[in-house]
Amino acid sequence: MFNLLVERSNNTTFENTKSFTLYKTFFFVLFLVLISCKTDKKKQSHSTISQETPLQAGDVAYAKGFEIEKSGDLTIIKVSSPWPDADNGFTYALVPKNKMASITLDRDAYDAIVAVPVEKMVVTSTTHIPSLEALGVADRLVGFPNTALISSKETRKRIEKRMVKELGNNESINTEMVIDLSPEVVVGFGINNQNRAYETIKRSNIPVVYNGDWTEQSPLGKAEWIKFFAPFFELEEKAERLFSSIENDYNKTKKIVEHVEQRPTVLTGGLFKDVWHVSGGSSWMAQFLNDAKTDYLWADSEETGGIALSLESVLAKAKEAEFWLNPSMLTSYNAMEEANRHYTQFDAFKNQRIYSNTIAKGETGGLLYYELAPNRPDLVLKDLIHIFHPELLPQHELFFFKPLE
């Protein structure tokens, strides 16, 4: 176009060089304006992301491991904590199916691009199941590794009808079956980025997105991961309502113990191969114990996971603890005595004030606590308040924690 304009200018008779220069300059500026307009239109046709529509932060208040950003029809999910101490996070783009033809994204800018709403999904942790059920999309689940771990009655019915396929174990998931199912996305979890099965699935053009709900340390932070699932089904508003209800119930329950002054002392954990693992002072469990107004004996430690200790050190510090939670996988006082006679020296054992979250199980042996508790911290807190301050919630029936037999 510029050549054409110059050619036309050359064919014009000018009385002097100054006039010619001004005329040429005018057309050159006009050319730049036209090119600029054309370039802007090209940018807009490639993506809804532009300088005129900056990304807006999503409403994630408690969870630290993910963010949601919106820009027009595009949803961006950034997972910064797929596993503890991860060096890098992941960025996923969710695009409405009816907009896929009109939106072009740079595939190198995203770890996965997923067309939504999703009709077929594979998830890999039992903690993912309650979110799907709460959002009313349990029927989108087509496969799961080790289905025996699932306790939910709703999903178990679908497993029995072979509507949810058994995919083996998470670390060695049956990739051929996953590819045969053709899910639109696989929601994975891992302790690092070395899962070869996920790499195989991705090479088959099936998006894999990491969910790091298990790395959250706060009760409401874990529960808020329901918002991570919502955009895959375009159910963000429903997730907001569901989480808001849980948040309100949790905070309302906290107020029940607001004026409690007597905090009972608490011990956690038990021996595994001569090493006693107690919950760290910054862990998920420690925050529950603090919110339930207890004196957790390791509350001052900074560990977010477990602390490995010797039997002698635990006995020295917690022999007179009033309560004891989760003594390994042991579910009765007889079993504890048979496992290690030193357990009988603790006051909580003598007074039979030991409770466990491994007694309540589903019909195939899955632990209810590990599946549902992350999504229902309000129920966990009610259990704990009933145990430690029974006079404040006398009518509550224990759901996750049960007294040892």
Side-chain angles (χ1 to χ4, degrees), residues 249-260 291 381 385:
D249 196 27
Y250 189 87
N251 290 329
K252 184 179 177 181
T253 305
K254 276 178 64 177
K255 287 186 177 298
I256 295 174
V257 292
E258 193 173 29
H259 301 294
V260 166
D291 290 346
L381 187 58
I385 290 177

Side-chain angles (χ1 to χ4, degrees), residues 28 84 87 200 207 212 280 302 352 368:
F28 183 71
D87 293 328
T200 300
E302 297 181 353
Q352 297 204 347
L368 289 177

Side-chain angles (χ1 to χ4, degrees), residues 68-77 92-96 231 236:
I68 297 177
E69 299 174 344
K70 289 280 191 178
S71 179
D73 296 315
L74 194 66
T75 300
I76 305 295
I77 299 179
Y92 308 117
L94 279 58
V95 184
E236 289 91 333

